[in-house]
Amino acid sequence: MFGQTTTEVMWITNSKVNQFYETRAESHGAIYKSKLRIEEQDGKSKLTMSFSGESQNLFTKIIAF
């Protein structure tokens, strides 16, 4: 982001075998969540991912704009 490279440690918060898993990370005043879901569609595997980030303090809310 903004030309910077970073690495975040995420942990699995919820999962269901052969269906989905959800992850969470907390870093630099923000909470990051993602969900990866796999499902069969027309005999093929479909992978869907969603991601969200939420600012937890004023500084990260300001730079998010």
Side-chain angles (χ1 to χ4, degrees):
M1 187 175 221
F2 305 116
Q4 302 295 316
T5 301
T6 186
T7 301
E8 302 297 345
V9 175
M10 302 184 93
W11 59 94
I12 295 174
T13 57
N14 193 11
S15 66
K16 189 165 184 179
V17 176
N18 295 325
Q19 290 188 23
F20 74 91
Y21 70 90
E22 297 175 337
T23 64
R24 177 183 172 114
E26 297 178 14
S27 180
H28 306 293
I31 296 175
Y32 306 103
K33 296 179 183 178
S34 65
K35 183 173 185 175
L36 286 89
R37 176 177 294 280
I38 189 164
E39 58 189 317
E40 186 179 338
Q41 189 175 57
D42 300 323
K44 298 178 183 178
S45 296
K46 178 181 177 183
L47 178 65
T48 305
M49 179 185 177
S50 61
F51 176 84
S52 67
E54 179 182 336
S55 300
Q56 295 298 297
N57 62 42
L58 182 59
F59 178 73
T60 55
K61 288 180 183 180
I62 292 171
I63 64 169
F65 289 104

